[in-house]
Amino acid sequence: MKNTICQLNSVTGGQMNSYVVTTADEKIIVIDGGYREDAENLLAHLRETTGRDVPHVDAWFMTHAHGDHIDAFNEIVEKHWDCLTVGKIYYNFPSVQYLCREPGYGRCILDFNRLLPRFADKIEIVYQGDEYDVGEAHFEILYSPNGELRGYINDTSVVFMMTLGGKRMLFLGDAEPAEGERLLALYKGSGKLKADYVQMAHHGQGGVRREVYEEIAPTACFWCAPDWLWNNDAGGGFNTHTFKTVIVRGWMEELGVREHYVLMNGTQKVEILPAVEE
């Protein structure tokens, strides 16, 4: 097995987050997972990757409690829990009362809590400053929700840095401008946000402001964006809708990023190669 980052394709054609990370020492890590409709595809990928009918996931990280991030997990727990094994499940969700404030978004956290007894023994609630090693992969939690909750559920995204094979990848979940400002207040100028790869916040269609990406200074971007979102086209043509994806693409071009892994092109797999000594 090699050190790889795999951004899985969307079954529904919608925006969603689903990553599978493999390590050279044969660990499997899932990040988010997508909608319920993405569950079978995720399971099939895990079977193919591990070569096992019942694959083992060593660690499952969840950024926040929106359906396009955690509903595949809910589906697997509810209907396919005997089809895989899981070591630890890492997350930090606010209260149900907070999460149900946004109309239409409460269902997935209610499902999650209903199913919780099935995986309660595997839970690890994460906090800012926590660090975890999953084989050769090292994770540092840079931000997690705290008692000063305000704004959108997106701004409760757990933000973490993964270091693997000498490379760093920052996972921003769906962090919005407010959470981006908190990240800058905590880490600007420290180098803590600097990463080789970045998962673009909120699918690259909004999310954090340009100043955060300037601090990250990535060489490559992962965009969980299908074609309609990548082109800001909901039927009226290129860049005719309200999403900011084209603007964010412009930021990254101005920052000199030339390497992009985009959901509209299907599953994207990147092998992390060891550094070549000069």
Side-chain angles (χ1 to χ4, degrees):
M1 197 176 287
K2 300 177 180 178
N3 292 327
T4 63
I5 302 167
C6 192
Q7 179 177 266
L8 268 61
N9 195 17
S10 171
V11 171
T12 67
Q15 60 182 22
M16 62 83 165
N17 273 35
S18 184
Y19 289 91
V20 175
V21 175
T22 67
T23 72
D25 57 345
E26 300 189 339
K27 302 298 182 183
I28 301 289
I29 301 149
V30 175
I31 296 155
D32 287 342
Y35 287 110
R36 281 183 176 267
E37 293 88 344
D38 296 301
E40 290 280 6
N41 185 50
L42 174 56
L43 283 171
H45 181 84
L46 291 171
R47 292 188 193 103
E48 180 181 358
T49 299
T50 63
R52 300 175 182 173
D53 292 335
V54 181
H56 178 69
V57 174
D58 295 278
W60 197 315
F61 287 84
M62 300 181 204
T63 59
H64 67 294
H66 270 161
D68 57 328
H69 295 257
I70 70 166
D71 261 354
F73 175 82
N74 287 340
E75 179 78 4
I76 288 170
V77 173
E78 187 164 24
K79 299 178 182 178
H80 308 285
W81 201 222
D82 59 343
C83 294
L84 81 171
T85 58
V86 179
K88 299 290 286 186
I89 299 165
Y90 300 90
Y91 68 95
N92 187 337
F93 297 156
S95 69
V96 172
Q97 291 80 0
Y98 184 88
L99 293 171
C100 287
R101 296 185 319 160
E102 293 181 21
Y105 288 112
R107 174 198 48 76
C108 59
I109 190 58
L110 293 174
D111 286 347
F112 183 89
N113 285 352
R114 172 174 56 83
L115 297 164
L116 192 148
R118 302 187 185 183
F119 56 86
D121 60 327
K122 305 177 186 301
I123 290 172
E124 181 82 26
I125 304 300
V126 302
Y127 297 93
Q128 181 182 316
D130 287 350
E131 298 188 38
Y132 304 96
D133 289 308
V134 185
E136 294 184 7
H138 180 75
F139 291 83
E140 182 178 1
I141 309 301
L142 298 181
Y143 181 83
S144 68
N146 54 41
E148 299 176 346
L149 294 171
R150 55 193 181 276
Y152 298 111
I153 293 174
N154 285 340
D155 278 324
T156 69
S157 293
V158 173
V159 172
F160 53 90
M161 185 74 74
M162 178 185 74
T163 304
L164 179 63
K167 299 288 187 178
R168 287 158 58 89
M169 179 165 178
L170 184 63
F171 289 88
L172 290 169
D174 276 5
E176 299 275 7
E179 189 167 338
E181 292 303 314
R182 294 172 208 153
L183 289 172
L184 289 175
L186 288 166
Y187 302 115
K188 186 173 182 179
S190 69
K192 294 279 281 186
L193 294 178
K194 177 69 181 75
D196 301 284
Y197 307 111
V198 62
Q199 173 251 308
M200 302 298 288
H202 203 190
H203 314 275
Q205 55 109 321
V208 300
R209 294 192 174 96
R210 175 179 172 144
E211 290 79 5
V212 177
Y213 292 117
E214 290 174 350
E215 192 73 14
I216 298 167
T219 58
C221 302
F222 284 81
W223 302 74
C224 299
D227 55 357
W228 56 269
L229 185 58
W230 175 253
N231 292 310
N232 188 29
D233 178 7
F238 177 77
N239 204 23
T240 56
H241 203 56
T242 58
F243 303 114
K244 297 180 180 179
T245 325
V246 174
I247 294 172
V248 179
R249 287 166 56 181
W251 296 348
M252 306 320 289
E253 182 176 355
E254 290 166 2
L255 292 174
V257 180
R258 299 290 180 265
E259 194 174 342
H260 300 276
Y261 302 98
V262 188
L263 194 66
M264 71 170 181
N265 297 322
T267 294
Q268 303 289 293
K269 185 175 183 179
V270 176
E271 182 181 341
I272 301 175
L273 299 173
V276 177
E277 295 184 5
E278 296 182 357

